[in-house]
Amino acid sequence: ADAYIVQSGCANVNDMCMELFILINACKTASAQRVVSVLPYFPYSKQSKQKRRGAIPAKLIATMLKVAGVTHVITMDLHHMQMQGFFDVPVDNVRASPLLIQFIKETVPDYSRCVIVAKNAGASKRAALIAKRLRAEFALIFGEQTRFAETLSEERLGSTEQSAASTEVAGEDPELAAGQDEDSYGTTVIGNVEDRVCILVDDLIDTAHPFVLAADLLKRSRAKKILLLATHGLFSGTALEDFESSCIDRIAVTNTIPQTEHQARCSKLQVIDCSAVLAETIRRIHNNESVVNLYNEAD
C-alpha cells in the first residue's frame, strides 16, 4: 500500500523533522510500496542559499528525506523554485496562487481596479502572475537589493578579511550587507497606487519589518487601502503585534501552518483553507493522474 505522511514545518521544527524521518523509515520498514511526504510548508525553506561559507539546511532536509526512505514529496510554494533540484525523488510543488486569486475575487470589491504590489524584485514574478490573472495593474517597490550578491562575489574572489574591508570602505556593516538580499526594501514605487486598493503579495511572511516599511511607503504614495497576502504565515517574534499596529488593513495567509494561535494575537489575520488543493493532489498522485491539469482547471 501507499503511505502518505502529512507534516508541516512549523512550531518546534527540529522535533517535527525528526518525527517525520522516523515515520518515513517506519513505513519503509513495514514494506509500504510508496512513502509520500506531504509537507505543506517545507522546513528551513528560507535557508536555501549558501551565505558566505555556511550550510544549506534546506538541501540537508531534502537529503535526509531521501535517506529515511521517502519516494515522493508534495509541498506548496517552495521559497525558491530551484529548490526542486535539491531532491533525488519526484517533487510536486503545488501552487497556492489560485487560492489567493479566489480570495481576492471574493473579498475585494471591484478587484480589477486594485493594484498588485511586489515589495521587492524577488516577489515580482508571483505578483505579476496574480495581476495578470485578475487583469489588474502591477506595481513594484524598487530599491538597492544587490549587496548580498556583491559581498558574496568579493568573498569568493578574495579572503574574508578583504571582503569585510571592502564593505567597511563602502560604509556598511559586513553582516548587514550579507543579510539584506530578501528582506531588503526600496524607497520608490514603480506604478500608480494613488487612491487604489493595494495588495502586497509574497510567498512567506516571517518578520513584519519589510512588509510594514513597504506599507508605509504605499501610504505615503496615497494608497487607499493595503492588504497583505501570502502562502505561508510564520510570524516570528513580535511580527503579529507589529502588524496589528501597522497601517496594513488586512492580512490573509493559507493554513499550511496552523494559524489558530496567531489569529488570537492579531485581529487583522484571516486564513485561507488549502486542504482541498492538497487533498486533490494526493488523490491524483495515488490514481496516477496528471497534477498539471489541476492548475489548468483552476485557471
Side-chain angles (χ1 to χ4, degrees), residues 119 180 183-185 205-216 238-239 242-243:
K119 71 175 175 63
Q180 292 290 322
D183 289 335
S184 56
Y185 52 90
I205 302 174
D206 189 4
T207 59
H209 186 64
F211 297 99
V212 171
L213 289 174
D216 288 341
T238 60
D242 294 339
F243 280 129

Short mmCIF file of all heavy atoms in Angstrom, two decimals, residues 119 180 183-185 205-216 238-239 242-243:
data_model
loop_
_atom_site.label_atom_id
_atom_site.label_comp_id
_atom_site.label_asym_id
_atom_site.label_seq_id
_atom_site.Cartn_x
_atom_site.Cartn_y
_atom_site.Cartn_z
N LYS A 119 6.90 43.69 -2.97
CA LYS A 119 7.71 44.51 -2.07
C LYS A 119 9.18 44.57 -2.49
O LYS A 119 9.92 45.43 -2.02
CB LYS A 119 7.61 44.00 -0.63
CG LYS A 119 8.30 42.69 -0.35
CD LYS A 119 8.25 42.35 1.13
CE LYS A 119 8.82 40.97 1.41
NZ LYS A 119 10.22 40.82 1.08
N GLN A 180 20.79 41.20 3.63
CA GLN A 180 19.75 42.10 3.14
C GLN A 180 19.19 41.69 1.79
O GLN A 180 18.53 42.47 1.13
CB GLN A 180 20.33 43.52 3.03
CG GLN A 180 20.65 44.14 4.36
CD GLN A 180 19.42 44.47 5.15
OE1 GLN A 180 18.42 44.91 4.62
NE2 GLN A 180 19.47 44.22 6.45
N ASP A 183 15.08 40.43 2.58
CA ASP A 183 14.29 41.31 3.43
C ASP A 183 14.63 42.78 3.19
O ASP A 183 14.26 43.64 3.98
CB ASP A 183 14.50 40.95 4.91
CG ASP A 183 13.84 39.64 5.25
OD1 ASP A 183 12.88 39.28 4.54
OD2 ASP A 183 14.28 38.98 6.20
N SER A 184 15.38 43.05 2.13
CA SER A 184 15.69 44.44 1.82
C SER A 184 14.43 45.13 1.32
O SER A 184 13.47 44.50 0.91
CB SER A 184 16.79 44.51 0.76
OG SER A 184 16.41 43.80 -0.39
N TYR A 185 14.45 46.45 1.36
CA TYR A 185 13.26 47.20 0.99
C TYR A 185 13.67 48.41 0.19
O TYR A 185 14.78 48.90 0.29
CB TYR A 185 12.46 47.61 2.22
CG TYR A 185 13.28 48.32 3.26
CD1 TYR A 185 13.42 49.70 3.24
CD2 TYR A 185 13.94 47.60 4.26
CE1 TYR A 185 14.18 50.35 4.18
CE2 TYR A 185 14.71 48.24 5.21
CZ TYR A 185 14.83 49.62 5.17
OH TYR A 185 15.59 50.26 6.10
N ILE A 205 5.57 35.06 5.00
CA ILE A 205 5.68 36.16 5.96
C ILE A 205 6.39 35.63 7.19
O ILE A 205 5.87 34.75 7.88
CB ILE A 205 4.29 36.71 6.37
CG1 ILE A 205 3.51 37.19 5.15
CG2 ILE A 205 4.47 37.85 7.36
CD1 ILE A 205 2.09 37.61 5.47
N ASP A 206 7.57 36.15 7.45
CA ASP A 206 8.33 35.75 8.62
C ASP A 206 8.33 36.90 9.62
O ASP A 206 7.54 36.92 10.56
CB ASP A 206 9.75 35.36 8.20
CG ASP A 206 10.54 34.73 9.35
OD1 ASP A 206 9.96 34.53 10.44
OD2 ASP A 206 11.73 34.44 9.16
N THR A 207 9.16 37.88 9.42
CA THR A 207 9.14 39.08 10.27
C THR A 207 8.28 40.15 9.60
O THR A 207 8.08 40.13 8.38
CB THR A 207 10.56 39.62 10.48
OG1 THR A 207 11.14 39.92 9.19
CG2 THR A 207 11.43 38.60 11.20
N ALA A 208 7.80 41.09 10.39
CA ALA A 208 6.89 42.11 9.87
C ALA A 208 7.62 43.28 9.23
O ALA A 208 7.04 43.98 8.39
CB ALA A 208 5.99 42.61 11.01
N HIS A 209 8.85 43.51 9.63
CA HIS A 209 9.57 44.74 9.27
C HIS A 209 9.52 45.10 7.79
O HIS A 209 9.11 46.23 7.45
CB HIS A 209 11.02 44.63 9.75
CG HIS A 209 11.82 45.87 9.56
ND1 HIS A 209 11.54 47.06 10.19
CD2 HIS A 209 12.90 46.12 8.77
CE1 HIS A 209 12.41 47.98 9.82
NE2 HIS A 209 13.25 47.43 8.96
N PRO A 210 9.91 44.22 6.85
CA PRO A 210 9.91 44.64 5.44
C PRO A 210 8.52 44.95 4.91
O PRO A 210 8.36 45.84 4.06
CB PRO A 210 10.54 43.44 4.71
CG PRO A 210 10.39 42.29 5.64
CD PRO A 210 10.43 42.85 7.02
N PHE A 211 7.50 44.25 5.38
CA PHE A 211 6.14 44.48 4.91
C PHE A 211 5.57 45.79 5.47
O PHE A 211 4.86 46.52 4.78
CB PHE A 211 5.24 43.30 5.29
CG PHE A 211 5.64 42.01 4.66
CD1 PHE A 211 6.37 41.07 5.35
CD2 PHE A 211 5.29 41.73 3.34
CE1 PHE A 211 6.75 39.87 4.77
CE2 PHE A 211 5.66 40.54 2.74
CZ PHE A 211 6.39 39.61 3.45
N VAL A 212 5.88 46.08 6.73
CA VAL A 212 5.41 47.32 7.34
C VAL A 212 6.05 48.52 6.65
O VAL A 212 5.37 49.52 6.37
CB VAL A 212 5.72 47.33 8.86
CG1 VAL A 212 5.44 48.70 9.46
CG2 VAL A 212 4.89 46.26 9.57
N LEU A 213 7.33 48.42 6.34
CA LEU A 213 8.00 49.51 5.64
C LEU A 213 7.42 49.70 4.24
O LEU A 213 7.24 50.83 3.77
CB LEU A 213 9.50 49.23 5.55
CG LEU A 213 10.29 49.33 6.86
CD1 LEU A 213 11.72 48.88 6.66
CD2 LEU A 213 10.25 50.75 7.40
N ALA A 214 7.12 48.57 3.57
CA ALA A 214 6.51 48.65 2.24
C ALA A 214 5.13 49.30 2.32
O ALA A 214 4.77 50.14 1.48
CB ALA A 214 6.41 47.26 1.63
N ALA A 215 4.35 48.94 3.35
CA ALA A 215 3.02 49.52 3.53
C ALA A 215 3.10 51.01 3.82
O ALA A 215 2.29 51.80 3.31
CB ALA A 215 2.28 48.78 4.65
N ASP A 216 4.06 51.40 4.64
CA ASP A 216 4.25 52.82 4.95
C ASP A 216 4.56 53.62 3.68
O ASP A 216 4.05 54.74 3.48
CB ASP A 216 5.38 53.01 5.96
CG ASP A 216 4.99 52.54 7.36
OD1 ASP A 216 3.78 52.42 7.63
OD2 ASP A 216 5.91 52.29 8.17
N THR A 238 7.79 39.25 17.29
CA THR A 238 6.67 40.16 17.55
C THR A 238 5.97 40.58 16.25
O THR A 238 5.35 41.65 16.20
CB THR A 238 7.17 41.41 18.29
OG1 THR A 238 8.15 42.09 17.46
CG2 THR A 238 7.80 41.05 19.62
N ALA A 239 6.06 39.75 15.23
CA ALA A 239 5.50 40.12 13.92
C ALA A 239 4.02 40.45 14.00
O ALA A 239 3.57 41.45 13.43
CB ALA A 239 5.73 38.98 12.92
N ASP A 242 3.40 43.76 15.59
CA ASP A 242 3.82 44.82 14.68
C ASP A 242 2.79 45.05 13.58
O ASP A 242 2.51 46.19 13.20
CB ASP A 242 5.18 44.48 14.06
CG ASP A 242 6.30 44.45 15.09
OD1 ASP A 242 6.13 45.06 16.16
OD2 ASP A 242 7.33 43.80 14.83
N PHE A 243 2.22 43.97 13.07
CA PHE A 243 1.18 44.09 12.05
C PHE A 243 -0.07 44.75 12.61
O PHE A 243 -0.73 45.54 11.94
CB PHE A 243 0.83 42.72 11.47
CG PHE A 243 1.79 42.22 10.44
CD1 PHE A 243 2.34 40.95 10.52
CD2 PHE A 243 2.14 43.02 9.36
CE1 PHE A 243 3.23 40.48 9.56
CE2 PHE A 243 3.03 42.57 8.39
CZ PHE A 243 3.58 41.30 8.49
#
